[in-house]
Amino acid sequence: MKNNLAKKEYYSEQLPFIVLFLIYCVIFRTSIQFGDDLDLIPKYQNLTIMDQWNLIVKDYFYWSSRVIVNGIIHVVLGFNRNIWVVLNALFAVVMGKSVSKLAVKNNKRVGNWVVVGFLLMYPVYCSGVAGWMTTTMTYFWPIAAGFAALIPIRKIIDGEKIKKYQYVLYSLALVYACNEELELVVIFVVYGCFLIYMLANKKINKYYVVQCILIIASLVFTMTAPGNSNRSTSEIGHWFRDYEAMSFLDKVDIGITSALWRVWFGRIWFFIIVCALIAIIVWNKYDSILFRITSVLPVTAVIIYSLPKDFYQNDFGGFARYTVAVSRTGLINIQTCGDKEMLIELLLLIIPCVAFILSLYLIFENTWKSLFTIAILVGGTASRVAMAFSPTIWASGTRTFSAMFFAIIIIGVMLYSEIDEKKMLTDKKRKNIVAAILTISVFVMLDMFACII
C-alpha cells in the first residue's frame, strides 16, 4: 500500500510537467518558419563531422564564443523539424523540474502546477525574434540548463546527497549554459554570492569549487574569444552607428533603464502576479505600516504603469510621456541631462525597484532564500545590462530579456512556496491564488499561441 501511494503521489507530481511538455509540442509544432531558420536550415543539411568542426572554428574566430550552443544548433537544424519540437518541449520540462527543485519543498503536487502556470506566462514571442528554432536554441535551452546547474546549491544547503551521475549532468549543464553569454552572467552572480555564503557558513565542498572553476574558465573563454570582438566591430555600422561614441556609463544606462522599463511598463503578467504575492505576504506577516506600504508600492506601480497608453492620453496627458519606451541612447544623455521629466521617469523606475528588493528581504529575512532571490534578480538584470556592451542591443529585440524574465518567474514560485510552507493563508485562499495563476496562464498562453501560428 505504501508503494502504491508513493507511486500515485509521484505521478501526480509529474502530471503538470507532462501537460507542459504536450503544450510546448502543440504550440511549437504549429509555429511558422521565418528569419534565421529559413536562412540556416538549407546550409546545415547533410553536414559531415569535419563540416561541423570547421563551422565551430569559424564561429570562434569570426563570430561568437558560443561554440557549444551554436554547434548544437548546427546539428539540430540539419534534422527533421519535429526533433527540435520534442527537444524544445523536453527543455521546458527541464526548466520546470529545475524550478520545482529549487523553489518548491512541500506539497509538490500543487506547487508544480504553480511552476507550470508561471512558465506558461513567459512571453513566448521572446523566443521567436529571429526564428523559433534558432532563438529557442540560443537562449531558452541554455537558460533551462542554467537553472539545472543551480540545483547543487540547493542540495548543498539542504545537506542532500548528490549522486555520482548527477555530478556529471550538473557540470555538463553548467558548461553548456555558460557558453551563452547572458546566462553566464546569471550563473556567475548566483554562484559567486553563494560561494561567499557557503564559506561563511562552512558548507563549501569540493564539487562546488569545481563548478566555480568551470564558471571562471567559461568567463575567460568568452572574454578572450576573438569572434566576439570581430563580430561586434563588424556590426556597429549596421546596427548602431553611434555606439562607439558612447561611454561605459552610457551603456550601463541603456542596459539598466531598458530592463527596468520593460518589466514595469511592459505589462508582463507574471511580474504583476509576483508583485501582488509580495504585497500579500508582507501584509500578512507584518503589522508595520511602513513595511506594508513598502510592499504595496511595487504592485501599485506595475498596475498603474501597465495600463493602456490610451488611458493616460485621454485622462492624464501629463503622464503619457513616461509610458514611452527608453530611447536608443538611454534615459540619461546630453539632451535629457538635468531635465525634470528625465528625473521623474528615473524615480518612477527606481523607487518601485527598491521597494521590490526590500520586500523580498522582509519576506525571506536572513535566510539563503533572501540571498538567492536577490542574487538571481540581480544576475538576471545584469544579463540585460551586459547586452548594452554589444551594438546589437536593440537589434536583438526582446529575446535578451529572457534570462531576467525567468529569474522573476522563479522568484514568483518561491513566494507562493513561502505562503504554502508557512501556512500564511487559509487553504481556500491558497487555492484561489493557484486558480488565479493557472487561469491567467491559460489566457496568456492562448494570446501567445495566436502570435505563433
Side-chain angles (χ1 to χ4, degrees), residues 130-177:
W132 295 110
M133 297 178 72
T134 309
T135 308
T136 52
M137 287 188 282
T138 303
Y139 294 92
F140 179 63
W141 291 16
I143 293 172
F147 272 72
L150 296 177
I151 293 176
I153 295 176
R154 180 72 196 259
K155 288 197 170 188
I156 292 171
I157 289 173
D158 290 345
E160 184 178 340
K161 184 179 179 181
I162 301 176
K163 298 177 182 178
K164 291 182 179 179
Y165 75 90
Q166 291 176 334
Y167 286 124
V168 177
L169 292 179
Y170 293 144
S171 293
L172 288 175
L174 183 137
V175 171
Y176 173 56

Side-chain angles (χ1 to χ4, degrees), residues 58-66 181 220-237 243-244 251 389-392:
K58 183 180 178 181
D59 273 349
Y60 177 75
F61 284 103
Y62 300 104
W63 190 248
S64 172
S65 59
R66 302 173 191 164
E181 304 94 318
V220 172
F221 179 82
T222 300
M223 297 293 288
T224 58
N228 289 332
S229 57
N230 289 334
R231 180 184 181 185
S232 179
T233 302
S234 66
E235 291 188 329
I236 288 176
Y243 186 77
E244 288 186 312
K251 296 171 184 176
F389 293 88
S390 167
T392 60

Side-chain angles (χ1 to χ4, degrees), residues 276-344:
L277 289 176
I278 283 175
I280 290 171
I281 295 173
V282 174
W283 201 270
N284 281 271
K285 186 173 183 178
Y286 296 98
D287 293 325
S288 169
I289 298 298
L290 179 61
F291 290 173
R292 288 183 170 185
I293 292 175
T294 300
S295 70
V296 170
L297 273 175
V299 68
T300 303
V302 74
I303 290 175
I304 293 175
Y305 297 172
S306 298
L307 288 173
K309 295 178 183 178
D310 293 340
F311 176 83
Y312 298 116
Q313 290 169 354
N314 295 334
D315 299 300
F316 302 94
F319 192 79
R321 65 173 65 90
Y322 304 116
T323 65
V324 179
V326 175
S327 71
R328 287 173 60 85
T329 55
L331 183 60
I332 306 171
N333 50 56
I334 297 176
Q335 289 78 22
T336 62
C337 189
D339 184 64
K340 178 182 176 182
E341 292 179 0
M342 180 277 293
L343 180 60
I344 293 174

Side-chain angles (χ1 to χ4, degrees), residues 88-128:
N88 197 52
L90 286 174
F91 270 100
V93 173
V94 169
M95 174 72 79
K97 283 180 167 289
S98 299
V99 171
S100 175
K101 182 63 181 177
L102 289 164
V104 182
K105 187 174 182 179
N106 301 323
N107 195 11
K108 284 184 175 287
R109 185 169 54 180
V110 176
N112 287 347
W113 280 114
V114 173
V115 171
V116 170
F118 268 109
L119 291 179
L120 291 178
M121 280 187 272
Y122 167 73
V124 178
Y125 57 77
C126 294
S127 298

Side-chain angles (χ1 to χ4, degrees), residues 205-255:
N205 65 24
K206 294 179 181 179
Y207 179 66
Y208 195 84
V209 174
V210 170
Q211 293 287 80
C212 289
I213 292 172
L214 291 174
I215 294 169
I216 294 171
S218 298
L219 181 63
V220 172
F221 179 82
T222 300
M223 297 293 288
T224 58
N228 289 332
S229 57
N230 289 334
R231 180 184 181 185
S232 179
T233 302
S234 66
E235 291 188 329
I236 288 176
H238 185 62
W239 296 114
F240 204 155
R241 293 185 178 181
D242 299 329
Y243 186 77
E244 288 186 312
M246 303 187 72
S247 67
F248 175 84
L249 292 178
D250 290 333
K251 296 171 184 176
V252 172
D253 167 37
I254 292 175

